[in-house]
Amino acid sequence: MSVLGQPLDRVDGLLKVTGQARYAGEYPTDGLLYGSVVSSTIASGRVVRIDASAALAIAGVEFVMDHGNRPPMAGDDEDYSDADAADGKPFRPLFNDRVLYNGQPVALVVARDLELARHAASLVRVEYVEHPWCSDLRAELDKAEPAPAELPEPRGDFEGVYQAAPYQVDATYETPIEHHNPMEPHASTVIYKEDGSLEVHDKTQGTQNCQNYLCQVLGLEKEKVRVLAAFVGGAFGSGLRPQYQLPLAAMAALKLRRSVRVTLTRQQMFTFGYRPRTIQRLRLASDAGGKLLGVAHHATGVTSRFEKFTEHVVEWSGMLYHCDNVKLSYDLVPVDLYTPLDMRAPGAALGLIGLECAMDELAERLGMDPVIFRELNFADSNMNEGKPYSSKALIACYNEGRARFGWDRRKAMPRSQRNGRRLVGMGMAGGVWEAMQMPASAKASLGKDGILTVSTATTDIGTGTYTALTQIAAQAAGLPVEQVRVCLGDSSLPTAPLQGGSFTISSVGTAVQQACEALHKRLLTAAASIDPDFASVTLDKISFTEGALVWGDKQLTYTDLVHASGVDAVEAQVDAEPDKKREPFSTATHSAVFAEVEVDEDLGTIHVTRVVSAVAAGRIVNPKTARSQILGGVVWGIGMAMHEETLTDHAFGRHMNHNLAEYHIPVQADVGDVQVIFVEEQDSIVNALGSKGVGEIGLVGVPAAIANAIYNATGKRVREFPITLDKLLDIN
């Protein structure tokens, strides 16, 4: 039986539930010091003076580091790379006396324990010269400038077609700033070694990215820095870039020649990147039969003064549906905030809100069922690229999703369904995410004990990577899963890309598969040394199963083959690249999301009672962990639709609800029944595994489906997200 496609329990599950899994802020070491960050209280200006005398007077406070006494940094602002950096001059903590945003780290207090460090940090006094500033996107709209994004060229004649079309929609949708709130705060434990090298445990999605960053910023040799992230307590974009606690901890360790840990507070988790605020204008046109004639999507997003952060917000509107006249544009507005960063399904989660809500509005004007309208405009090719899809089972998603959901019970007229005093509504939306594959390396090592160890530098941010790679390795090597060990999260292991974009299994999983297949060649060579008959046998005649090499009636165990090789372990390492057969095709995952809501007619409160998410993502390596990913995406989508919003006090340029009490995220009571359908989809082109990834697709489309359901319940279109009860109080 194939191991792939089986709902295997998480291989790291026992470690996590018993507390044996160590996270970045939990690694013990002798003489460890603790750092506490002092944050700026202005949005723009310069530091004139830092008075740390009161902090240093406390016994146990070792050092207060600022821009004037930190270790040297290599080069200037632009002299280092970051695998997830935006265009511009990336921020470096304590680089100089400039203050670029409210909450910026301006000093680090280092003490013998965390409580002492935090108390001492509260005693540090900072004097500033304040400069003019603005943190409000709307106040700076006149300063919008084109984003440095490679947008598809306009096709057709949108303006002409739009003006002449019998059915039109022109609507503007707004989405707020949203902040990551993973369970594990960002932390770095830097263990200083006697030879001056650093062993760094960091909350990151890319150990090698962090290693490169530290080496370039601090002028360190690569062999002197090892970054580890064996376990990550949630990330989904917040750990793609090295966050500022990492260089602060490293600089303090180098300065003091001691081990240092810096853990950010929950409030400080709001002092780096976020999902950017956007204003999106959608203009759609169709003929009387429901065929899309024109699509225009213009987005304006917020960015920092020092970097131009761009996302793929509008591109989806040119590829999800068939349309010959398309115009896509994207502007940025720089403000005095930190640079935004990637947040689950970056760009798509925002752009699909605009597109799919506008599609619902146009379907209503046509008097057409929203699902039928989308089916009518199905695109079998990505018109942005001019390439057919390697596979696209979106029609099956529509069909299986609406059948499971009971879409035929939906009434098109708003306010037509009730449950007592609650208005009932049903809505749906489509979803799309690119199915990427990146170059990746992996090593497979088979020991004398018959245990296969697979290693690669990628991380597991809680998505089940350890488990999926175990299954891939077991299947490819011909071993039971109990005899496979997976080593991840170590910069010294074979090269791997950042874990993000739903491409880890496609990229690293392919490398693992190929490494295990390369191992077969070495085992066959060993077999020939035991039995000369194997010398003339080709690999295609051999089967590798249950820990043995089998040819006809001859069978040799892996342990015998390793012993015959005269080495402790038979090893193979490969560098996997995307197959060239992908090049003529566009590759993507797709989904159809159906949502039901109940809205209290008197109070305006909203409850999502049911969601059905039908997903086409190629081969599902582990349906149990994959389902968990889709469930998490749906919950996050409920948050985007109804809860999540970072509130900024523009009088100070400071985020106000910087805690889990006031930054609202969904809890169990907010989530109704969620059903996940994995639609059958065969794809031999996307990669050898046929897998497309599920991390992002579970989120895209969910907020729009809920918004459309709220309209169906109440008859009120709310185009400013999140849709909170105050926006529905006038529905009677």
Side-chain angles (χ1 to χ4, degrees), residues 98-286:
R98 291 190 60 197
V99 176
L100 302 172
Y101 68 98
N102 199 313
Q104 173 182 317
V106 293
L108 180 74
V109 176
V110 182
R112 67 188 177 203
D113 61 57
L114 180 59
E115 292 76 13
L116 185 59
R118 289 187 174 170
H119 171 63
S122 71
L123 303 178
V124 175
R125 297 293 174 257
V126 185
E127 296 178 16
Y128 307 95
V129 170
E130 196 166 0
H131 295 166
W133 56 272
C134 181
S135 59
D136 187 359
L137 168 68
R138 280 210 164 271
E140 299 282 281
L141 272 179
D142 60 331
K143 299 180 178 64
E145 53 192 41
E150 296 180 4
L151 295 175
E153 290 293 323
R155 59 179 183 261
D157 175 21
F158 169 78
E159 295 295 347
V161 166
Y162 181 79
Q163 295 301 324
Y167 291 91
Q168 303 169 338
V169 163
D170 186 344
T172 298
Y173 305 89
E174 294 194 39
T175 64
I177 285 177
E178 298 169 10
H179 271 86
H180 282 277
N181 277 283
M183 287 193 291
E184 178 198 16
H186 277 267
S188 299
T189 301
V190 178
I191 300 175
Y192 187 86
K193 304 288 189 176
E194 289 184 1
D195 62 355
S197 63
L198 304 179
E199 178 187 301
V200 181
H201 297 273
D202 187 57
K203 181 199 172 84
T204 179
Q205 291 169 251
T207 57
Q208 290 168 332
N209 187 36
C210 288
Q211 180 192 42
N212 292 336
Y213 172 89
L214 287 177
C215 289
Q216 293 180 63
V217 169
L218 301 179
L220 304 174
E221 297 176 1
K222 203 165 188 178
E223 57 269 20
K224 291 288 190 180
V225 179
R226 183 184 181 191
V227 179
L228 301 105
F231 298 98
V232 181
F236 280 102
S238 67
L240 289 174
R241 300 188 72 174
Q243 301 303 350
Y244 64 73
Q245 88 287 337
L246 174 63
L248 289 178
M251 284 192 289
L254 291 170
K255 183 77 173 182
L256 299 173
R257 298 187 178 184
R258 296 274 302 275
S259 298
V260 176
R261 174 178 297 155
V262 178
T263 302
L264 300 186
T265 65
R266 181 59 59 181
Q267 289 74 22
Q268 287 168 342
M269 294 289 289
F270 287 74
T271 60
F272 54 85
Y274 47 87
R275 197 189 297 276
R277 180 181 177 186
T278 67
I279 301 171
Q280 302 177 47
R281 184 187 182 193
L282 271 294
R283 288 184 291 162
L284 306 182
S286 77

Side-chain angles (χ1 to χ4, degrees), residues 10-124:
R10 290 175 182 262
V11 297
D12 54 336
L14 182 62
L15 293 176
K16 289 185 173 180
V17 299
T18 57
Q20 297 177 73
R22 290 192 188 277
Y23 293 82
E26 297 179 332
Y27 283 87
T29 188
D30 292 338
L32 181 65
L33 299 175
Y34 295 80
S36 180
V37 177
V38 178
S39 305
S40 71
T41 57
I42 66 170
S44 179
R46 290 190 178 274
V47 174
V48 175
R49 179 173 175 266
I50 295 178
D51 181 2
S53 57
L56 291 169
I58 300 175
V61 174
E62 300 286 335
F63 185 50
V64 177
M65 184 172 65
D66 58 39
H67 66 277
N69 62 6
R70 59 160 173 77
M73 289 186 180
D76 58 26
D77 294 80
E78 300 177 358
D79 201 22
Y80 74 93
S81 63
D82 173 355
D84 199 54
D87 286 359
K89 295 185 177 182
F91 170 76
R92 272 191 276 180
L94 310 188
F95 183 70
N96 54 31
D97 63 352
R98 291 190 60 197
V99 176
L100 302 172
Y101 68 98
N102 199 313
Q104 173 182 317
V106 293
L108 180 74
V109 176
V110 182
R112 67 188 177 203
D113 61 57
L114 180 59
E115 292 76 13
L116 185 59
R118 289 187 174 170
H119 171 63
S122 71
L123 303 178
V124 175

Side-chain angles (χ1 to χ4, degrees), residues 355-418:
L355 174 64
E356 290 302 283
C357 286
M359 286 288 287
D360 198 71
E361 296 198 35
L362 186 53
E364 183 196 25
R365 294 189 185 183
L366 285 159
M368 186 174 289
D369 181 279
V371 182
I372 295 173
F373 179 47
R374 286 168 172 80
E375 287 178 323
L376 183 64
N377 291 287
F378 176 83
D380 58 8
S381 66
N382 182 340
M383 299 181 73
N384 288 344
E385 299 177 353
K387 295 179 180 181
Y389 285 105
S390 60
S391 61
K392 184 178 180 181
L394 182 55
I395 296 295
C397 291
Y398 294 146
N399 291 336
E400 294 186 34
R402 65 181 161 193
R404 179 78 64 86
F405 183 76
W407 182 256
D408 58 342
R409 299 196 300 271
R410 173 185 180 268
K411 298 185 184 301
M413 181 66 68
R415 304 176 71 92
S416 296
Q417 293 178 280
R418 288 180 173 273

Side-chain angles (χ1 to χ4, degrees), residues 284-350:
L284 306 182
S286 77
D287 63 18
K291 293 290 288 184
L292 276 174
L293 300 176
V295 174
H297 190 167
H298 176 74
T300 303
V302 71
T303 190
S304 67
R305 301 280 186 198
F306 48 92
E307 287 182 291
K308 295 181 178 180
F309 177 82
T310 61
E311 293 186 308
H312 295 294
V313 177
V314 299
E315 288 89 329
W316 319 99
S317 294
M319 63 185 280
L320 186 52
Y321 303 109
H322 186 282
C323 187
D324 295 321
N325 303 282
V326 175
K327 185 171 69 171
L328 308 173
S329 52
Y330 179 22
D331 288 344
L332 293 178
V333 173
V335 296
D336 294 284
L337 295 173
Y338 190 77
T339 307
L341 51 58
D342 289 336
M343 196 168 182
R344 194 173 194 171
L350 298 174

